[in-house]
Amino acid sequence: MTSDHTRQRAKHGPAAWLDAVVYDLARQMRWTFLPPLMVYFAAGFSGLTGIVGTFFVKEYLDLSAAYLAGLAFWAGLPWALKMPLGHLVDIIWRWKWLLVYLGAGLIGLSMIIMYFVLTEREMMEAIMPISAWYITSFLLTPCGLVIQDAVADAMSVEAVPRVDTQGAPIPEEQSRAMHVTMQTLGRFALITGTVVVAALNIWMFRGIEAMDAAAKANVYATIYLVALSIPLVSVSGVILAGVQKYRAKHNLRKTGLSPAEADALFERPDEDTTPNPWYFIGGGAFVILTLAVGLGQVPYSQEIIFAGSMAIVLFLMRQLVATLSAAQARALIGTATIIFMFRAVPRPGDGITWFNIDVLGFDQQFLSVLSLITSVLTLVGIVVLRPLMAEKPIVWIIAMLTIAGGVLTLPNIGLYYGIQDITAPLTGGVVDARFIAILDTAIESPLGQVAMIPMLAWIARNAPSNLKATFFAVMASFTNLALSASSLTTKYLNQIYTVTREVRDPATGEVTVPADYSELGVLLIVVTAITVGIPLLVIWLVQNSRLRTSD
């Protein structure tokens, strides 16, 4: 009796919670999950050059916050090309690994460009301006990442086995659980890459505040050189997947299956994808529109490209929705709309980062510490919230994240007004400011990643088997266009509320642009109001319409 009572209490105690949250995730891990996790890890590791890029722009280039927000818009658009790429992956299923090599080449080229910009500046400047090289490198990386990500999504579906070691089909419920675990681990691997990045940055930026310009440039160059390992990791994942597939087929043949029968269990011969030309027409239209408007220097080019891209994505989404039942289609549209608005809200922009550097004295190493804290807390958030994501509807999760997103801007507002002495000081110095910055990070870190996991799991469970990669790609393109919308609205707000950092002439040391943070506080307040108000309004509208979702 006592033993039974003890076991019953254990089911509801800390041990049971730890088992459900941590140990269960580890138990569901499969070796076949590792290859796509390596590609996702490489994507997270690609952030290695993020802090270097921020300081490179600040110290070497005279680019405004509004211009950088616009550049972020262009960098986000390659993700819209995930539509034809995802469909291409479904079509060339056996040869999808070739695309990983292509993406790795683009990422490697991006890192090599910045390495030579820092080590052979005169040679590179003789070819074209340094700002042009930086922009080229800045845009090459997302192009490579989106190619690899399209393949990683397909690999994440393939990594979940359809049969056991004896060739018998895996039960539906077990298969669904593994798909959810795979998507959770995918986000986990992505953030783990950022943890490694932050730790490396902390180590490499040690003592940088005492270095002269030449020594800093050498540190920056070394980081870009280390970043060449990013494409190596993703390529290694593809090679490992090939080895695992060969061994699995070999073991199945030992059970008595013929080579053709063993091969059929992996290569989906019964689920061949019929090419839909509209996905490639849409992708081609996107490229033509981008080049025509961008190179033609058409006024409002970013807005035109965003509107055209949205029209193309919505058209292709309609093609996908036609393959679902009416109930599934309505749920998918409602869910996608809510997630889009959650991600489309504006951010403060680079002005808050400049303020933290110039006024609060945050250096490269402390920003690396913040990045490490962000990554670790995101990992914790994903693991801790995983059972909640399995139990609660997506709408409930987004509503809670929206409120948290509004709360996360409050520490920044407090920092600004405290330092500026406009209200009663909230900080007594840089130490307090750093504590508040860490608190801000603790609130913000898990939001974006947690919001996407339920949708990815829904696609993995419900999308037609021969269109998995296409579904991942089109829905990712739609939700990533929200980030382009966020960049646009961020640019607009930075044009209304102007924030400038101090810029000095490198030769004379004369101040060419004075620092002005007088409008930063109002900018932060406006961003907070929009961040909370718009998504909650959209949630209410969707949940009171035919698109209401309870998944």
Side-chain angles (χ1 to χ4, degrees):
M1 180 70 175
T2 303
S3 177
D4 292 342
H5 181 65
T6 302
R7 283 196 296 270
Q8 186 67 23
R9 289 182 58 189
K11 291 180 181 179
H12 302 285
W17 179 88
L18 191 65
D19 182 78
V21 171
V22 180
Y23 299 151
D24 184 60
L25 183 62
R27 282 194 296 268
Q28 293 187 44
M29 175 65 184
R30 301 288 187 274
W31 281 112
T32 54
F33 293 178
L34 189 57
L37 294 182
M38 292 176 69
V39 182
Y40 284 131
F41 174 86
F45 194 58
S46 66
L48 178 63
T49 59
I51 293 177
V52 174
T54 298
F55 279 87
F56 179 83
V57 170
K58 185 177 183 298
E59 295 169 3
Y60 292 92
L61 303 178
D62 182 14
L63 301 177
S64 68
Y67 182 88
L68 292 173
L71 187 59
F73 169 85
W74 290 103
L77 285 179
W79 291 93
L81 283 175
K82 204 175 170 185
M83 301 176 296
L85 285 172
H87 196 52
L88 178 63
V89 169
D90 276 326
I91 295 171
I92 62 167
W93 190 261
R94 286 177 177 265
W95 305 99
K96 57 185 179 294
W97 54 269
L98 291 173
L99 294 176
V100 174
Y101 284 89
L102 175 59
L106 295 176
I107 296 170
L109 179 60
S110 172
M111 303 307 164
I112 291 172
I113 286 174
M114 289 306 298
Y115 175 78
F116 280 112
V117 162
L118 287 159
T119 58
E120 302 291 342
R121 184 183 179 96
E122 293 183 1
M123 178 189 74
M124 300 297 280
E125 204 164 18
I127 300 173
M128 63 182 185
I130 294 300
S131 59
W133 281 117
Y134 171 78
I135 292 170
T136 301
S137 173
F138 189 81
L139 297 179
L140 277 176
T141 296
C143 290
L145 289 174
V146 69
I147 293 173
Q148 293 196 341
D149 193 64
V151 180
D153 288 341
M155 292 172 66
S156 72
V157 175
E158 188 179 44
V160 177
R162 296 189 297 170
V163 297
D164 58 23
T165 55
Q166 301 302 312
I170 291 178
E172 178 66 19
E173 287 302 316
Q174 183 181 351
S175 177
R176 288 183 179 183
M178 286 194 289
H179 275 297
V180 173
T181 299
M182 177 68 249
Q183 297 307 322
T184 301
L185 290 173
R187 301 310 98 188
F188 195 90
L190 188 72
I191 305 304
T192 300
T194 66
V195 170
V196 176
V197 163
L200 277 174
N201 276 329
I202 292 172
W203 179 71
M204 300 190 77
F205 283 135
R206 67 193 188 284
I208 197 168
E209 67 280 355
M211 296 181 183
D212 58 20
K216 287 182 180 180
N218 185 57
V219 171
Y220 296 166
T222 301
I223 291 176
Y224 279 108
L225 195 60
V226 172
L228 284 173
S229 60
I230 296 169
L232 293 179
V233 173
S234 57
V235 168
S236 299
V238 171
I239 294 174
L240 177 60
V243 172
Q244 289 181 344
K245 185 181 293 186
Y246 172 81
R247 293 186 61 183
K249 290 180 181 179
H250 181 70
N251 290 335
L252 284 174
R253 286 197 293 270
K254 286 183 177 179
T255 66
L257 294 178
S258 67
E261 290 172 329
D263 187 67
L265 294 175
F266 289 92
E267 301 301 346
R268 313 184 317 179
D270 57 328
E271 301 171 356
D272 288 340
T273 302
T274 301
N276 186 331
W278 285 112
Y279 294 108
F280 300 106
I281 293 172
F286 169 79
V287 172
I288 293 172
L289 176 66
T290 302
L291 294 177
V293 175
L295 298 179
Q297 297 182 343
V298 177
Y300 301 104
S301 59
Q302 294 174 359
E303 290 78 2
I304 293 172
I305 291 175
F306 173 77
S309 301
M310 180 61 74
I312 293 169
V313 172
L314 290 177
F315 173 78
L316 296 180
M317 282 181 64
R318 188 175 182 275
Q319 303 286 312
L320 284 183
V321 168
T323 66
L324 301 175
S325 67
Q328 286 180 322
R330 286 194 296 268
L332 180 60
I333 293 171
T335 301
T337 301
I338 291 171
I339 292 180
F340 180 91
M341 295 310 302
F342 173 75
R343 305 188 81 187
V345 294
R347 308 301 303 161
D350 287 310
I352 186 63
T353 303
W354 298 340
F355 176 81
N356 290 339
I357 294 171
D358 291 342
V359 179
L360 301 184
F362 292 3
D363 57 18
Q364 292 94 326
Q365 189 173 46
F366 182 70
L367 289 178
S368 300
V369 172
L370 276 182
S371 178
L372 178 61
I373 293 172
T374 298
S375 301
V376 170
L377 290 175
T378 302
L379 290 177
V380 173
I382 289 174
V383 173
V384 171
L385 295 176
R386 184 178 66 94
L388 191 66
M389 288 185 285
E391 297 172 1
K392 296 291 185 180
I394 297 176
V395 173
W396 187 92
I397 295 172
I398 297 298
M400 293 301 101
L401 294 178
T402 296
I403 295 172
V407 172
L408 71 88
T409 61
L410 297 180
N412 278 330
I413 295 174
L415 279 177
Y416 173 79
Y417 283 113
I419 292 294
Q420 294 293 315
D421 255 344
I422 295 175
T423 62
L426 298 178
T427 60
V430 172
V431 174
D432 291 337
R434 294 189 175 199
F435 174 78
I436 292 178
I438 292 172
L439 177 63
D440 176 29
T441 296
I443 300 171
E444 178 182 13
S445 54
L447 300 185
Q449 295 298 327
V450 171
M452 289 303 295
I453 291 175
M455 171 167 273
L456 295 174
W458 190 95
I459 293 173
R461 294 195 310 268
N462 295 288
S465 298
N466 62 332
L467 290 173
K468 295 287 189 184
T470 307
F471 260 84
F472 273 118
V474 174
M475 297 311 299
S477 296
F478 179 68
T479 53
N480 281 312
L481 272 175
L483 299 182
S484 295
S486 177
S487 296
L488 281 177
T489 52
T490 299
K491 182 185 74 170
Y492 298 150
L493 289 178
N494 274 268
Q495 290 172 342
I496 297 171
Y497 305 103
T498 305
V499 179
T500 60
R501 73 191 187 282
E502 183 180 279
V503 178
R504 293 179 177 270
D505 186 288
T508 64
E510 180 183 353
V511 176
T512 57
V513 179
D516 183 3
Y517 298 108
S518 60
E519 296 186 345
L520 179 59
V522 179
L523 172 63
L524 292 173
I525 293 173
V526 172
V527 166
T528 302
I530 296 175
T531 297
V532 176
I534 298 298
L536 290 181
L537 175 61
V538 172
I539 289 174
W540 182 83
L541 291 173
V542 169
Q543 291 302 93
N544 286 277
S545 71
R546 294 181 63 216
L547 301 179
R548 177 183 177 88
T549 174
S550 58
D551 199 342

